[in-house]
Amino acid sequence: MLVPIKWLKDYVDINIDINSFADAMTMSGSKVEAVEEMGREIEKVVVGKILKVERHPDADKLVVTQIDVGSETIQIVTGATNIKEGDYIPVAQNGSSLPGGVKIKKGKLRGIESNGMLCSAQELGIPLENLPEELLDGIFILEKEYPLGKDIKEVLGLNDAVIEFEITNNRPDCLSMIGIAREAAATLGEKLKYPEIIVAENNESLSDYVNIEVKNEELCPRYTARVVKNVKIQPSPGWMQDRLLKSGVRPINNIVDITNYVMLEMGQPMHAFDLEKLAGRKIIVRNAQEGEKITTLDEVERTLNESILVIADQDRAIGIAGIMGSSNSEIDENTKTLVFEGANFQPVNIRLSSKKLGLRTEASGRYEKGIDTELAETALERACNLVQLLGAGEVVGGKKDIYRIPKQNRHIKLDTDKARKFIGADISTEKMKEYLEALEFSVDSNFNVTVPTFRDDVEGEADVIEEITRIYGYENIPSKLMDTTFTQGGKTYKQKLIDKAKNILTAQGLYEVFTYSFVSPGVFNKINLKAENPMRNAIKLINPLGEEQSIMRTTLIPNIMEVIARNYNRKVETGHFFELSKVYLTEELPLCDLAEEREVLTVGMYGNIDFFDLKGIVENLMEDLNIKTYRILSSNHDSMHPGRTAELIINNKRIGWLGEAHPDMLDNYGVPVRAFVAELNFDEITNQSNPEIKYRSLPKYPSVSRDIAVVVDEDITAGQIEEIIRNKGGKTVEDVKLFDIYRGSQIEKGYKSMAYAITYRSDEKTLTEEEIAKVHNKILNSLANQVGASLRQ
C-alpha cells in the first residue's frame, strides 16, 4: 500500500525523519518495502507566468518567452507548443536542479539568450501513469493562479514522501490510511486523530427515493446506503487529486474520487449508483441468475452464474458485489441524484467470484481479506461528509442500514505474568495496558481484553501477547540463554559425507548443478531404457504443472543429459558437472506406501576427455572416502555405449555404473560430441565408507617390484587381471599398477598385451628371491588357468 506522509500526518503527528519512521514501523510489524522522497533533487524551480510569446527570428520550431517569476522577468527560449500568454507554469531558473542530476544554466539557443527552462511533468519526476491526458505531453500547465516565485514543490506537493508498505493477508485493517496511522501512533507513542465527520442532511427521507432489499444476508451481512441529490459533477480539488495520485489512483471526477478517497482513508470500498438509471428505483442484493450477463465498467461483457452475488435493480444486474460496478448505472456528467453504497460481503465468495470472472480490483482485493462490518456505516458517513465539504451535492435525510446480526467483540483474558515470561522482558502491567489501548483494545482492571472488531486476526492470549511485544519492540527484548540443558548441534555423518563428496568433486574441476525432481514420461525413451526396465515405474503426480513435469524422477541421467545439451548448445566447449540429489523409487504402482528417496550421485562430462578421466574421478572419490575394497568391472547399460561401460562394485555390491553415453542417446539430446556419464547409489557409498582412518607406520622392510606383460583375449578386462593378481598374491602383494596396453603387429589379432608393475613387501621380514618367485609364479599360473594369459615374449 502506498502511503503519502503529508496525508498520514492528518491523523498522527510524525516528528522524526522519514527513514527513522520507516525503520520504526518495520520493527513494530508494518514492513516497509520502499521509501520515495519526492522532489528531493528539485531546487530553484518556481511558479512563473508567461507574459509574452514571440517567434524565434532564426528557428521555426522555437519561441522566445518572457516569464514573470515574482522577483524579476526572465527570458526563456523553448520548443514547447502547448503554452500561451497568461499560463502559469513551472520554471527552472539559472542554477536550478532537476531529478536525475540535471543542472539548468543560462545559455543561447540559435543566438538568443535563454535564462532557464520551462518544465514538463516528466522533467519534474511526476509519475505519468495517473495524470490527465492533457498533462502528459508538453509543459506542465498549472490549473490555477499561484503566487509567482513560489517553490514548485509546495505547489505540486512534491515536498512529500511516499512509503510503500507490505500488508499481510491477516491485516486488512492496515489497507487504509487510518489503519497505518493507528499503527504509527502506537509505534511512536502519539495519539490517533480521526477525521471529524459531520453530515448535515435535509428533511427529506431516503425511502422516498429508493427501495433497498438484501436477499442473501449470508453473503451480504451488512448493506448501508444514503442518497445525495443536486449532484454537481466536476473535477476534485487539487488536494484530493494529489493524495489520490500519490496513492496510485487516477482522479476521474469528484464523486468517483470521493469513493476512492474513502476506500484509501477508511479501508472500506464504496460505490455510487446514478439513481435515475436504476429501474424501479430499487437496489436488490441477490445471487445472479445462471447465464445472466453484465457489462462492467471496464466495458467487458461477463457471463455470471448463481454463485456470484450481484447488486441489481428491478430489471437487471447493475454491479458485481464487491468487485466492480456496471456501465448501466455509472456516474457521468449528467448525474443529478446518486446512491452511495457502503456494504460488507463474505470474503470467500468474493475471492471465488473474482477468480471465476478473471476480474480483480482494489475493492475485491480488500473484501476477500475480510473487512470489518462495523466500518460500513462510518465510511458511508465520511463519503457524505466529503460531498458537503466539496460542495458536490445535498444529502437526503435518513439512511438505510440492513444489519441483522451485528458483529460481536472477542474477549480474551490475559495473564500478565505469563505474558512477561513469554516475552522475556519485565514489562509493567501499566505499559501492557498502554500498548493495547494504543491499538484500540479495551482493557479492564482484571486484564480482560476486548478485541476491536477490525482485528479478526487476534484470536487468543498468544495473539494479545504478540501485540504487546511488537509495540514494546523486539529489539528491546534482552538476549539470554534458555534455562535448559544444551546439546551441541551438528550435521549427521551422512550430511558430512555429502559435503565431503561435493568438495572432492569440485576440487577435480566439476561444477555442481541442481535440476527439477519432476520430469516428463518421455525421458525414458530419450535415454534408451528398455520397456521392462524397472526405472520406468515412476510415480505420477495428481496435479502436475504439465506433461513435462508430470512424474517423479527415478534416475538422474535425463537431468544430467539436459545440462550437457544446454551447455553444449550455448557454445560451452567443455563441461564437467555433477548432481547429488534424490530419486524416488517404488516397488508397486499405484503408490501404496512412501516412496524410497534414494540419494544418487550423477556425473556428466564432455570435451577433451575419455573414459579414464571419468574412471579417475570415481577412483579418487573412493580413495578420499576411505573405501578400499572396490572394483570397476566391464558391464552394460541401456543408456551407455556397448563395450565402453563399467560398473562400480564395493564389497560385492553393485553401486552404480560409469561409461560413455550411447550415440543414440546423444542424438536424442542433440549432442554431437562424445559424453561420459556416471550414476552411483550414494546411500550405499555412505554405508560402505569407513570414517575411521587408521595409522600405519612406515614400512621397515624393503619392497621388490616385478613387471609382467601378459597377452590375453580382447574381452579380458584390466579389472579381472588385477583381481587375480591380488587374490593369489595375498598380503605379499602391496600394489598393482597397469602401465601399458599394446595392440599391434607383434600381437595376434583379437588379443592385447597388458603390462603390470607388481610391488611385493612383507611387514614381518625382508623377502628372499625364492619367496618372491614362489608368489610370482603362482600369480602367472593363475592368470594362465583363469583367463588364458601367456607371458609376452
Side-chain angles (χ1 to χ4, degrees):
M1 178 175 172
L2 299 177
V3 176
I5 294 302
K6 288 181 71 174
W7 187 3
L8 186 65
K9 286 182 177 180
D10 280 1
Y11 316 107
V12 61
D13 293 331
I14 301 172
N15 299 314
I16 56 177
D17 68 85
I18 188 64
N19 291 316
S20 298
F21 174 66
D23 291 341
M25 292 295 285
T26 296
M27 292 304 295
S28 68
S30 302
K31 184 182 176 184
V32 172
E33 284 287 293
V35 177
E36 180 187 358
E37 296 184 64
M38 304 176 68
R40 182 167 51 89
E41 298 177 282
I42 299 176
E43 293 181 7
K44 292 187 69 176
V45 181
V46 299
V47 174
K49 179 181 179 181
I50 301 176
L51 301 178
K52 186 183 291 186
V53 180
E54 298 177 320
R55 290 175 60 87
H56 192 292
D58 297 319
D60 293 337
K61 295 185 178 180
L62 296 178
V63 294
V64 182
T65 64
Q66 303 299 321
I67 310 292
D68 184 357
V69 293
S71 59
E72 60 179 326
T73 298
I74 62 176
Q75 178 173 283
I76 295 177
V77 180
T78 179
T81 59
N82 68 321
I83 58 172
K84 64 182 184 299
E85 293 178 4
D87 282 344
Y88 282 73
I89 37 78
V91 180
Q93 303 175 89
N94 177 40
S96 61
S97 300
L98 294 174
V102 177
K103 303 291 184 183
I104 305 300
K105 295 182 180 180
K106 66 179 180 180
K108 290 186 176 181
L109 289 177
R110 302 292 292 269
I112 301 295
E113 186 176 278
S114 181
N115 294 299
M117 184 178 81
L118 309 185
C119 300
S120 67
Q122 187 172 10
E123 287 161 339
L124 292 171
I126 300 173
L128 302 181
E129 56 268 20
N130 293 317
L131 284 178
E133 190 171 340
E134 63 270 16
L135 295 178
L136 294 179
D137 297 317
I139 302 305
F140 191 97
I141 309 297
L142 301 177
E143 80 280 5
K144 65 178 183 179
E145 298 180 4
Y146 288 96
L148 298 178
K150 188 172 183 178
D151 191 334
I152 201 68
K153 291 190 287 188
E154 294 183 32
V155 172
L156 298 180
L158 298 176
N159 55 343
D160 198 358
V162 177
I163 294 183
E164 181 180 357
F165 286 94
E166 178 189 324
I167 308 300
T168 54
N169 288 338
N170 66 323
R171 292 300 306 275
D173 59 297
C174 288
L175 283 170
S176 64
M177 296 298 298
I178 294 291
I180 293 295
R182 184 185 297 112
E183 291 294 311
T187 300
L188 302 178
E190 300 288 347
K191 186 172 180 60
L192 177 63
K193 298 176 285 186
Y194 279 97
E196 185 179 9
I197 301 175
I198 300 174
V199 178
E201 55 186 38
N202 65 21
N203 57 4
E204 297 179 275
S205 175
L206 172 142
S207 59
D208 295 333
Y209 282 82
V210 65
N211 181 34
I212 299 173
E213 180 184 1
V214 176
K215 290 189 174 182
N216 190 333
E217 293 182 4
E218 181 182 351
L219 298 185
C220 180
R222 189 174 192 183
Y223 194 94
T224 65
R226 265 191 181 275
V227 172
V228 177
K229 73 173 191 176
N230 300 327
V231 174
K232 301 173 185 176
I233 302 297
Q234 57 192 10
S236 300
W239 63 267
M240 179 175 283
Q241 291 193 39
D242 177 63
R243 291 181 174 187
L244 291 174
L245 284 168
K246 289 175 181 174
S247 301
V249 177
R250 182 172 62 87
I252 297 174
N253 59 51
N254 52 354
I255 298 301
V256 175
D257 290 352
I258 284 172
T259 63
N260 287 328
Y261 188 92
V262 172
M263 178 181 69
L264 293 172
E265 182 184 50
M266 298 283 181
Q268 170 69 53
M270 300 285 298
H271 194 71
F273 299 102
D274 187 329
L275 183 59
E276 301 301 325
K277 296 178 182 179
L278 302 185
R281 293 203 167 195
K282 285 187 176 182
I283 290 179
I284 304 169
V285 184
R286 60 170 172 81
N287 288 76
Q289 298 170 5
E290 192 66 36
E292 185 173 4
K293 296 183 184 297
I294 185 173
T295 301
T296 46
L297 290 172
D298 57 359
E299 299 182 354
V300 176
E301 185 180 71
R302 303 178 190 276
T303 302
L304 312 178
N305 62 36
E306 293 179 347
S307 68
I308 297 173
L309 193 71
V310 297
I311 312 299
D313 60 16
Q314 180 175 279
D315 300 332
R316 73 243 156 117
I318 56 173
I320 304 171
I323 301 177
M324 186 178 282
S326 167
S327 59
N328 58 24
S329 62
E330 68 178 319
I331 303 297
D332 58 31
E333 64 276 6
N334 299 314
T335 299
K336 297 302 178 185
T337 308
L338 63 83
V339 180
F340 271 131
E341 167 194 279
N344 190 276
F345 302 107
Q346 207 266 351
V348 174
N349 180 260
I350 296 296
R351 174 63 175 162
L352 293 175
S353 299
S354 178
K355 288 184 69 177
K356 285 176 184 175
L357 297 171
L359 181 60
R360 189 171 176 81
T361 62
E362 281 282 348
S364 68
R366 284 171 161 79
Y367 276 123
E368 68 188 29
K369 292 177 177 64
I371 295 175
D372 181 20
T373 51
E374 297 296 307
L375 192 57
E377 182 184 14
T378 305
L380 182 70
E381 296 296 287
R382 178 58 167 164
C384 293
N385 169 241
L386 288 169
V387 166
Q388 293 178 336
L389 288 175
L390 271 57
E394 179 184 348
V395 179
V396 172
K399 61 188 169 190
K400 189 72 172 181
D401 188 359
I402 302 173
Y403 192 22
R404 300 277 194 286
I405 307 175
K407 188 174 183 179
Q408 301 299 313
N409 292 91
R410 188 179 290 114
H411 302 281
I412 299 170
K413 172 68 175 174
L414 178 65
D415 184 335
T416 55
D417 290 332
K418 178 181 177 181
R420 277 186 280 269
K421 185 176 180 181
F422 190 89
I423 297 169
D426 188 17
I427 307 173
S428 67
T429 52
E430 291 78 12
K431 277 294 181 185
M432 291 185 187
K433 188 172 186 290
E434 179 184 323
Y435 296 150
L436 291 172
E437 289 179 343
L439 294 169
E440 300 192 8
F441 290 72
S442 298
V443 185
D444 66 15
S445 57
N446 295 318
F447 255 85
N448 294 304
V449 179
T450 301
V451 182
T453 55
F454 57 79
R455 290 300 303 274
D456 283 337
D457 60 307
V458 178
E459 298 178 343
E461 187 178 24
D463 297 318
V464 176
I465 294 173
E466 181 184 3
E467 296 300 301
I468 294 170
T469 307
R470 67 187 184 87
I471 302 303
Y472 172 72
Y474 293 106
E475 69 278 13
N476 296 321
I477 299 174
S479 300
K480 64 177 183 178
L481 291 174
M482 295 172 61
D483 299 327
T484 185
T485 301
F486 290 92
T487 57
Q488 183 179 6
K491 293 184 176 181
T492 64
Y493 172 67
K494 182 178 179 181
Q495 289 171 331
K496 291 177 180 178
L497 204 68
I498 288 174
D499 290 344
K500 185 174 182 179
K502 289 180 178 181
N503 289 335
I504 294 167
L505 294 168
T506 53
Q508 296 183 82
L510 276 70
Y511 290 91
E512 184 177 7
V513 299
F514 294 95
T515 58
Y516 288 114
S517 297
F518 303 151
V519 296
S520 166
V523 298
F524 299 127
N525 293 331
K526 292 184 74 172
I527 64 172
N528 298 339
L529 285 192
K530 294 178 181 177
E532 64 273 14
N533 194 306
M535 288 296 178
R536 285 181 173 269
N537 296 327
I539 300 166
K540 296 180 180 178
L541 301 182
I542 295 175
N543 55 341
L545 295 174
E547 179 68 16
E548 293 301 310
Q549 294 178 321
S550 61
I551 63 171
M552 301 187 76
R553 65 188 178 191
T554 58
T555 172
L556 289 177
I557 306 173
N559 302 70
I560 207 71
M561 286 304 303
E562 288 282 359
V563 172
I564 289 173
R566 186 179 304 112
N567 281 271
Y568 178 82
N569 291 325
R570 292 182 181 178
K571 310 303 181 185
V572 180
E573 295 181 359
T574 301
H576 299 171
F577 314 102
F578 78 90
E579 179 172 9
L580 215 171
S581 298
K582 295 183 184 298
V583 297
Y584 305 89
L585 308 173
T586 181
E587 293 183 359
E588 59 179 344
L589 290 174
L591 195 65
C592 298
D593 204 349
L594 292 177
E596 177 193 350
E597 297 185 25
R598 180 182 297 173
E599 205 81 42
V600 170
L601 168 64
T602 303
V603 177
M605 305 169 67
Y606 71 92
N608 188 25
I609 58 170
D610 59 21
F611 169 81
F612 294 102
D613 291 291
L614 178 60
K615 179 173 178 282
I617 288 171
V618 174
E619 288 175 335
N620 288 337
L621 179 64
M622 296 298 103
E623 187 70 26
D624 289 343
L625 296 182
N626 203 24
I627 299 174
K628 303 297 183 183
T629 55
Y630 72 89
R631 294 175 295 162
I632 297 178
L633 303 177
S634 178
S635 182
N636 291 307
H637 191 282
D638 292 352
S639 304
M640 307 310 293
H641 196 301
R644 299 179 188 176
T645 306
E647 61 182 356
L648 173 67
I649 296 174
I650 305 176
N651 289 331
N652 296 320
K653 285 190 175 182
R654 187 178 184 278
I655 304 302
W657 51 267
L658 60 152
E660 182 176 341
H662 197 289
D664 290 345
M665 183 171 73
L666 293 174
D667 288 343
N668 292 338
Y669 282 94
V671 179
V673 297
R674 296 172 68 190
F676 299 86
V677 179
E679 186 171 55
L680 309 175
N681 183 340
F682 199 81
D683 286 337
E684 279 298 333
I685 290 176
T686 302
N687 296 335
Q688 298 295 335
S689 66
N690 184 3
E692 296 182 4
I693 300 176
K694 294 183 178 180
Y695 168 75
R696 182 177 179 182
S697 60
L698 292 173
K700 295 180 180 180
Y701 305 102
S703 64
V704 177
S705 181
R706 293 284 187 271
D707 294 346
I708 61 171
V710 293
V711 179
V712 296
D713 190 277
E714 277 285 3
D715 294 334
I716 302 302
T717 65
Q720 289 175 281
I721 295 175
E722 184 177 334
E723 185 177 9
I724 293 171
I725 294 173
R726 290 189 180 277
N727 287 340
K728 296 303 176 182
K731 293 181 179 180
T732 306
V733 174
E734 184 179 64
D735 193 21
V736 180
K737 288 185 179 178
L738 173 68
F739 65 86
D740 183 55
I741 300 176
Y742 174 74
R743 299 176 181 86
S745 58
Q746 299 180 30
I747 303 296
E748 185 180 348
K749 189 175 182 180
Y751 290 84
K752 59 187 174 183
S753 171
M754 304 181 74
Y756 287 86
I758 304 173
T759 302
Y760 298 98
R761 191 198 302 269
S762 171
D763 293 334
E764 300 172 355
K765 62 180 180 177
T766 299
L767 293 173
T768 64
E769 187 64 32
E770 291 79 10
E771 290 171 328
I772 294 170
K774 181 179 179 181
V775 176
H776 194 69
N777 291 332
K778 184 179 179 182
I779 290 171
L780 293 175
N781 291 333
S782 295
L783 289 171
N785 293 332
Q786 294 185 34
V787 295
S790 61
L791 283 175
R792 181 180 172 190
Q793 302 299 320

